[in-house]
Amino acid sequence: MPTELLFTAGDLARMRFAVSPMWEVGPSLRLLRSGLPHAVHRPWAEQVRPRLAALGPAYGLLAELVPPTGYVPDFINPAPPGPAPTLAEELAAIRATPAERVRRDLDRLAEEQGRLGPRLRALHADPRAGLPRLTGAIGTYWELALAPYWARIRAVLDAEVLRRARQAAEYGAARVLNDLHAELCWSEDTLRLLHRARPLPGRKAGAGLLLIPSAFTGPGLFTRLTPADPPQVAYPARGTGGLWETARTPGAEALAAVLGRSRALLLAELADPASTTELARRTGLSPSAVSQYLTALRDAHLVSAHRAGRWVLYARTASAEALLAPFG
């Protein structure tokens, strides 16, 4: 039997989309921990997996929090207050989670997994002390695994939201809901979630509906249904299939007259985020020269740097992607 949510006209009027960094954290970590190749995300996983050791103890905490299958505590996915919260805003909301809510979610995790690991038992015993450690671990993971790629991921998610906004404007909200995913069905005033394992505490939706496109959620749906927050439905964004296509940009020679040959070459090589050492190996430039040029590109807001432990990864910014787009 499908899970059913009964909507009022007010709930439907408050339906909105949001792009959420935290909805990328859990699913991406689960994919990395599986160790399995992935049809879409394999290029990303092959780059990131060797860096996981840099997480140190943070990895053990996150591994307990995000098991290989099943439930992930709801409190790590707070309802986005706007269309595009920053990771810092979401981590602040996690730190503000009431202790009883943390313990309730961890009790459910223990029920489904059989027990809690030692780090989560410590969090259960003292959420006030444990939540800052947890959000610190999430922040470290983000810098290592997702921040260098966020401009690219965000572009896919923003395109999905714009596509759905146009669909709603042309055909109405019902068309949007029925087109999002095969496990989601809208009829009359009811939203049906197929194959959801856990029943709802009640049938009324309440507080609207949050639809969250995700690059790493899939192929199924992820849902967060916790009164009195609006229901959250995270679904695979269209366009994710081409996310990691990284044909080298042929615009380096044209840009060299403006930026200089070495800077233009580094921008072209940063189709995939990389360290100074890796860029020196690829380009034949000395590590000190690469560092100098990257500093100049960073000052011009064309490159961003992301540190996690001993790793510092450089990535093209959205401004750099726009600069290179005519040569793609």
Side-chain angles (χ1 to χ4, degrees):
M1 290 291 291
T3 293
E4 296 184 347
L5 280 174
L6 184 64
F7 278 73
T8 67
D11 293 326
L12 196 59
R14 290 191 295 271
M15 184 182 82
R16 60 186 176 91
F17 285 83
V19 171
S20 165
M22 280 306 304
W23 272 109
E24 307 301 334
V25 168
S28 67
L29 180 62
R30 179 169 282 176
L31 186 155
L32 288 172
R33 291 192 60 215
S34 73
L36 300 174
H38 191 279
V40 171
H41 296 302
R42 182 172 183 173
W44 169 83
E46 288 177 346
Q47 290 182 41
V48 173
R49 277 197 184 107
R51 305 172 193 152
L52 291 179
L55 288 171
Y59 182 74
L61 174 57
L62 296 178
E64 291 182 18
L65 188 73
V66 182
T69 60
Y71 175 70
V72 174
D74 288 324
F75 72 84
I76 72 166
N77 291 112
T86 65
L87 179 70
E89 290 171 333
E90 294 193 312
L91 294 182
I94 293 172
R95 286 192 295 273
T97 306
E100 62 271 16
R101 175 59 195 274
V102 174
R103 292 190 177 104
R104 183 167 68 248
D105 286 359
L106 292 179
D107 286 343
R108 177 178 168 185
L109 181 65
E111 176 187 346
E112 295 198 5
Q113 296 295 321
R115 63 181 182 88
L116 293 178
R119 299 168 185 86
L120 288 189
R121 290 199 297 272
L123 176 60
H124 190 285
D126 190 355
R128 185 174 181 180
L131 286 175
R133 287 194 293 269
L134 174 60
T135 54
I138 293 171
T140 302
Y141 171 77
W142 174 267
E143 288 297 317
L144 184 150
L146 293 171
Y149 308 88
W150 185 239
R152 186 184 302 184
I153 295 169
R154 178 67 187 271
V156 169
L157 302 181
D158 285 347
E160 167 68 8
V161 172
L162 288 174
R163 182 185 302 114
R164 297 302 179 180
R166 180 170 182 175
Q167 187 179 40
E170 293 180 350
Y171 301 105
R175 172 73 71 89
V176 173
L177 291 171
N178 281 319
D179 189 55
L180 279 183
H181 195 276
E183 295 182 8
L184 205 64
C185 177
W186 171 266
S187 177
E188 299 287 335
D189 58 356
T190 302
L191 183 68
R192 292 175 174 83
L193 305 174
L194 306 179
H195 310 306
R196 190 174 192 273
R198 192 177 180 93
L200 293 177
R203 291 188 63 242
K204 288 189 177 181
L209 175 65
L210 266 169
L211 300 173
I212 301 177
S214 171
F216 289 94
T217 297
L221 295 173
F222 279 67
T223 56
R224 179 184 184 271
L225 305 171
T226 55
D229 289 342
Q232 296 184 53
V233 178
Y235 69 94
R238 292 187 182 180
T240 301
L243 185 57
W244 308 116
E245 293 177 0
T246 57
R248 295 298 164 190
T249 305
E253 292 183 8
L255 290 174
V258 178
L259 300 177
R261 188 192 71 84
S262 297
R263 294 181 183 89
L265 177 60
L266 288 173
L267 272 188
E269 286 296 327
L270 282 172
D272 296 316
S275 65
T276 300
T277 302
E278 186 176 355
L279 288 169
R281 179 183 58 79
R282 288 188 203 166
T283 62
L285 298 169
S286 69
S288 61
V290 169
S291 179
Q292 177 184 345
Y293 294 136
L294 288 173
T295 298
L297 291 169
R298 188 177 180 184
D299 289 343
H301 303 290
L302 295 175
V303 163
S304 57
H306 308 275
R307 175 180 291 277
R310 63 186 178 87
W311 292 91
V312 179
L313 299 176
Y314 293 87
R316 294 196 303 225
T317 64
S319 296
E321 297 290 355
L323 183 66
L324 291 163
F327 305 105

